[in-house]
Amino acid sequence: MTRIWTAIAAVTMGTALGSAALAGDVRIMWYSDGNEGEVMEDLVARFRADHPEINLTLENVAYQVIKEQLPIQLAAGEGPDIARITDLKKEAPHFLDLTPYLRDPDYWRENFGAQLDWMRPDRTDIIPGFMTQLTLTGGFANATLFEQAGVPLPGPEATWDEWVEAAARVAESQQLEAAIAIDRSGHRITGPMISEGAKLIGEDGMPAPLDDAARGFLTKLIGWTEDGRNLRDVWVSAAGATYRPAADEFINATVPYYYAGSWQVANLSATVGDAFDWVATGSPCGVAGCTGIPGGAALVAIRSTPNPEEVATVMEWFAQEDIVREFSERTLFLPAHKAVVEKGGLDFQTDDENARAALNAFVAATGQLTEEAQRIPAWTPASDVYAALAKRLGEAMAGELSTEDALARIDSDIAEAMTAAAQ
Amino acid sequence: MSLGARVGAAATAPLRALAAALDPAMRGWQRLAGRGGMIGLFLLPNLAIFTIFVLVPIGLNVAYSMTGGAQVFLADRPFVGGEQYARLLECENHLRPRTCRDDTFWTAVWNTARFVVLQVGLMTGAALVTALILNRSLPAKGFWRAVFFFPVLLSPVVVGLIWRWILQRQGLANLVMVEGGLEPVNWLVDRFWAFAAAVGVSVWAHLGFYALILLAGLQAIPKDLYEAAEMDGTRPWRVFRRITLPLLTPNLAVVVVLALIRAVQIFDEAYVLTGGGPGTATMFLTQYIYETGFASPVRNPGLAAAASILMAGVLVVLTLLRLSRQRRAAQR
């Protein structure tokens, strides 16, 4: 009888151990916009050679998985040990404080300190990870189409109206589908609203009701969609807060102007090739500035990991100065590492002059950031505001809501979200 | 004893040993609990599975629907009573969704209602016609049956993707139209066409399954009835109305009930095909529940649970109505 019970216990233990993460196992959940997945595969292989005691696996997933499935996994105390995330502030409560496991926490504070607040829960000083890239929202113009249409590219101080008007002339001349396309995302239109003078953050740190500047830009955007200058498909072809990129429309030369951000540089470089010349334009201007929204993706440690020491070892390896430099040069991403930025001399590994020029344009555009825009990445309610904007603007552009009703619904949706978040 | 009997006896020996070992306990239980107790004992395994996988989740769903916040674990969520139901039901005029506090929910409700009426009607009609055609002596009958049944084998996501590629602005449908000298149509961005596409694709994807049910019913109708009608010189339409349709009614009832339940639950193909757009033109109840509970950056599991309870209530009512009609028909 004792033997039977021993056998049952052994089988049970074996099953339990087989299904749980073993000591030394570290899993990274990773998404890619461009070639960074391939670069990471290569870096992970080198890490394994340096640290054979740690079984590091890279799980490549779609961005949709990071947006929709990972938050549920994190809330349920499941998920990977490390993840590449963009919705940093919202998920910050699920991040691990690496401080006690790091050999040199000051290295992290010194080199990544400027963005640590973006990924920390409010009023804490934890070190949960580091930015794999800094991003900035901004526009891209198809220089070839502008040239063919005989329309000069608007200058660096050009307003949104001037860009839309110029792009509309190109679209008409070249018989294109529309003048401009903007990703279906509240994040993308936040910079333009702030450029027009909108104050999204109230004095109490909570979302302020849409002011005249915000309402003015949103009204214009709906108008551009109704008259066909903003490509309707992108915003209308989904419901709710669903994210829809418009990159393919620009790559297919359906529109001469595309507003997205610096993370698209590698993608455009790889997919456009020499089909046409393209330029990064920074953000068009409004009365209050020409700002984009800074942000990016961070590699963060997840609190539920059973192997925090191994996770810290992995994070330290990837946060090394030379690794960050190599990652940026190979992926064409703007680095967030202070020493890498200060030493300069990044040798972006591309023969594409369009991409090199675009990266320089985005670096230059960082000097245009307004104070309000710089507060956004560390502002917890930002994702609630983005969701309401995408949902209601999509409905207004589809003709289901009047502009006034859409703007009123944006305010009430944000208020409902704040009430729910407070519960 | 023959070889077969010896093999049989050897194969069932472990079962007989088990039965013998359990027999005293079973007899004891029967003496104690009687015949009813024995029935209960035999039902226990099924009841346990039903409880774990159906009753407990229903109970949890009801519990979630009475909580607020975005936390996942029930214990972390504050009790809010019927607030989520009140939010869903609060409306100036339920026929005009935009006057409701949660306008998206009511938009989804009415979209689903329209979808159900159109899809179930079209599906039943198309499945009946298909079954009638496939029941005739056609050349390569097996091939044609396979053709109609093939879409049923496809994953709904694959169905949605295929039709998305066909119907998108630069898709196959527009290519053919332009080649034919017609103006292209932005199928998935036009409210009317996007809804029509959602209905049409759903019918295309499931038609084969329902046609098969009706085909089985048609083949079960005794041939001599048709022979007698033919001898009487009855016209085909009258044969269909007086013989085929009445004898096919039980199968048609099954088709309608199954199609109805499936239509109310519409999600996968439509979600991949249109994403709920344009605007909210093809936003159906299940998508509303999914987005509210899981996909939106502003997750509200309590609201999603309340919406799913209301949806389940509608399904129960529909099923009961259908069953009572069927019962009344059977009594007549």
Side-chain angles (χ1 to χ4, degrees):
Chain A
M1 195 65 183
T2 313
R3 248 184 259 164
I4 291 171
W5 282 115
T6 310
I8 291 171
V11 169
T12 311
M13 288 274 286
T15 310
L17 284 173
S19 61
L22 295 170
D25 279 355
V26 175
R27 179 164 63 97
I28 302 178
M29 187 182 274
W30 183 270
Y31 79 92
S32 298
D33 285 316
N35 68 337
E36 65 268 37
E38 296 154 35
V39 175
M40 268 305 274
E41 293 275 9
D42 183 29
L43 294 176
V44 165
R46 275 159 52 191
F47 174 87
R48 285 196 200 116
D50 285 357
H51 292 275
E53 77 283 6
I54 295 175
N55 177 30
L56 179 62
T57 53
L58 186 71
E59 185 185 2
N60 276 302
V61 298
Y63 183 56
Q64 201 87 348
V65 174
I66 300 285
K67 291 278 283 181
E68 295 180 2
Q69 294 177 24
L70 183 63
I72 305 290
Q73 293 178 16
L74 297 182
E78 298 289 335
D81 304 286
I82 297 171
R84 186 179 191 226
I85 293 181
T86 53
D87 202 357
L88 299 170
K89 205 66 179 175
K90 192 96 174 173
E91 304 305 335
H94 304 296
F95 299 163
L96 173 73
D97 182 9
L98 289 167
T99 314
Y101 308 104
L102 295 174
R103 279 173 299 170
D104 183 7
D106 285 339
Y107 167 85
W108 289 66
R109 293 191 190 100
E110 172 64 21
N111 288 300
F112 301 111
Q115 292 87 31
L116 282 176
D117 265 347
W118 297 5
M119 59 187 96
R120 283 172 172 152
D122 288 338
R123 294 174 294 281
T124 68
D125 62 352
I126 70 167
I127 302 176
F130 67 98
M131 302 298 289
T132 56
Q133 73 191 108
L134 280 186
T135 61
L136 185 65
T137 55
F140 299 93
N142 183 324
T144 303
L145 283 174
F146 272 82
E147 194 184 319
Q148 285 172 353
V151 177
L153 281 169
E157 302 291 312
T159 63
W160 270 97
D161 287 319
E162 287 165 348
W163 266 108
V164 172
E165 204 268 325
R169 283 165 53 205
V170 174
E172 193 182 348
S173 154
Q174 303 298 303
Q175 298 187 321
L176 305 178
E177 208 58 52
I180 65 167
I182 304 177
D183 290 342
R184 190 183 196 275
S185 155
H187 172 254
R188 303 299 185 275
I189 54 172
T190 299
M193 284 195 294
I194 294 173
S195 291
E196 294 291 348
K199 299 282 179 211
L200 301 178
I201 308 174
E203 288 187 359
D204 56 356
M206 300 304 283
L210 294 177
D211 56 21
D212 287 346
R215 298 168 77 89
F217 180 78
L218 297 179
T219 304
K220 264 193 227 176
L221 182 61
I222 294 168
W224 293 333
T225 314
E226 283 170 349
D227 66 24
R229 284 187 285 180
N230 178 31
L231 188 64
R232 198 164 171 261
D233 300 30
V234 180
W235 281 78
V236 165
S237 64
T242 306
Y243 169 69
R244 283 262 194 275
D248 285 347
E249 306 293 349
F250 184 74
I251 291 163
N252 293 329
T254 311
V255 291
Y257 185 78
Y258 168 44
Y259 193 79
S262 58
W263 59 93
Q264 288 291 354
V265 170
N267 183 29
L268 296 185
S269 176
T271 49
V272 172
D274 55 4
F276 57 82
D277 284 332
W278 52 276
V279 292
T281 66
S283 283
C285 300
V287 293
C290 318
T291 191
I293 295 292
L299 198 63
V300 292
I302 305 300
R303 208 173 59 181
S304 58
T305 178
N307 301 319
E309 284 92 357
E310 286 84 354
V311 164
T313 305
V314 173
M315 295 293 281
E316 280 183 321
W317 194 90
F318 281 94
Q320 293 174 94
E321 186 178 326
D322 55 335
I323 298 294
V324 171
R325 173 179 288 274
E326 181 186 338
F327 180 81
S328 298
E329 287 174 341
R330 293 175 65 185
T331 57
L332 312 186
F333 285 155
L334 306 179
H337 191 291
K338 190 180 171 194
V340 171
V341 175
E342 281 178 358
K343 286 177 188 167
L346 280 165
D347 179 22
F348 288 114
Q349 291 178 14
T350 175
D351 297 331
D352 185 349
E353 285 308 313
N354 294 325
R356 279 179 180 276
L359 289 166
N360 289 330
F362 275 107
V363 171
T366 55
Q368 303 269 8
L369 294 177
T370 66
E371 194 186 322
E372 177 92 353
Q374 295 196 55
R375 290 178 66 191
I376 295 287
W379 188 46
T380 307
S383 52
D384 298 324
V385 174
Y386 298 156
L389 285 168
K391 180 180 175 184
R392 297 307 180 178
L393 285 180
E395 290 171 16
M397 289 171 182
E400 293 180 357
L401 282 178
S402 68
T403 302
E404 269 312 304
D405 286 346
L407 298 178
R409 285 283 184 181
I410 289 170
D411 279 335
S412 62
D413 284 357
I414 294 171
E416 294 261 19
M418 292 303 103
T419 307
Q423 283 177 335
Chain B
M1 192 188 271
S2 69
L3 179 66
R6 279 207 297 274
V7 171
T12 55
L15 281 177
R16 279 185 283 117
L18 182 68
L22 290 175
D23 193 53
M26 298 292 264
R27 285 180 187 279
W29 174 253
Q30 190 173 15
R31 269 198 298 276
L32 201 69
R35 191 165 166 268
M38 287 307 286
I39 293 170
L41 185 67
F42 288 127
L43 284 178
L44 200 60
N46 267 352
L47 277 177
I49 291 169
F50 186 73
T51 304
I52 292 167
F53 292 106
V54 178
L55 293 182
V56 170
I58 289 175
L60 280 172
N61 207 13
V62 172
Y64 266 93
S65 73
M66 295 185 177
T67 58
Q71 300 86 335
V72 167
F73 291 115
L74 193 56
D76 300 336
R77 299 174 55 77
F79 179 78
V80 295
E83 195 183 290
Q84 306 284 21
Y85 293 96
R87 178 174 165 180
L88 289 176
L89 299 173
E90 190 180 318
C91 229
E92 278 176 34
N93 180 349
H94 288 91
L95 296 175
R96 293 177 54 220
R98 295 294 176 189
T99 64
C100 301
R101 184 175 163 195
D102 196 326
D103 56 331
T104 314
F105 173 72
W106 281 100
T107 302
V109 166
W110 288 116
N111 283 347
T112 308
R114 278 195 306 150
F115 180 87
V116 167
V117 171
L118 282 170
Q119 197 258 16
V120 174
L122 274 174
M123 176 77 84
T124 312
L128 182 59
V129 171
T130 309
L132 286 168
I133 293 170
L134 292 177
N135 195 38
R136 300 172 75 90
S137 18
L138 292 171
K141 198 194 287 187
F143 169 76
W144 291 113
R145 285 180 186 175
V147 164
F148 282 99
F149 193 73
F150 180 69
V152 178
L153 303 176
L154 296 177
S155 144
V157 174
V158 172
V159 168
L161 277 175
I162 290 171
W163 281 98
R164 190 177 175 84
W165 289 331
I166 292 171
L167 296 173
Q168 64 194 6
R169 179 161 36 83
Q170 289 160 328
L172 192 63
N174 277 339
L175 182 75
V176 171
M177 287 178 73
V178 170
E179 288 295 318
L182 298 170
E183 279 291 304
V185 176
N186 211 345
W187 305 97
L188 301 178
V189 177
D190 180 280
R191 293 176 58 78
F192 172 80
W193 287 117
F195 195 88
V199 174
V201 168
S202 175
V203 169
W204 176 83
H206 302 285
L207 177 71
F209 175 67
Y210 299 112
L212 205 66
I213 295 175
L214 294 179
L215 188 59
L218 286 172
Q219 292 182 347
I221 297 173
K223 295 279 178 290
D224 51 359
L225 293 177
Y226 291 111
E227 286 163 8
E230 198 179 349
M231 285 166 68
D232 289 346
T234 316
R235 278 176 302 200
W237 174 242
R238 196 171 164 80
V239 171
F240 174 72
R241 280 183 51 223
R242 296 296 182 186
I243 300 175
T244 308
L245 212 50
L247 292 174
L248 202 57
T249 302
N251 296 63
L252 272 172
V254 170
V255 165
V256 169
V257 170
L258 291 180
L260 199 73
I261 292 169
R262 170 78 190 147
V264 174
Q265 295 170 334
I266 177 71
F267 175 60
D268 22 33
E269 301 123 4
Y271 185 64
V272 175
L273 181 69
T274 65
T280 54
T282 56
M283 161 79 89
F284 301 113
L285 254 178
T286 316
Q287 184 183 346
Y288 170 86
I289 292 166
Y290 167 68
E291 296 217 333
T292 305
F294 303 101
S296 169
V298 191
R299 288 188 300 276
N300 191 337
L303 194 64
S308 71
I309 297 280
L310 293 178
M311 180 173 150
V314 171
L315 276 175
V316 167
V317 169
L318 284 175
T319 310
L320 289 178
L321 277 175
R322 183 68 229 171
L323 285 175
S324 80
R325 273 192 67 182
Q326 222 172 319
R327 208 169 293 135
R328 276 205 304 273
Q331 281 164 359
R332 278 202 298 270

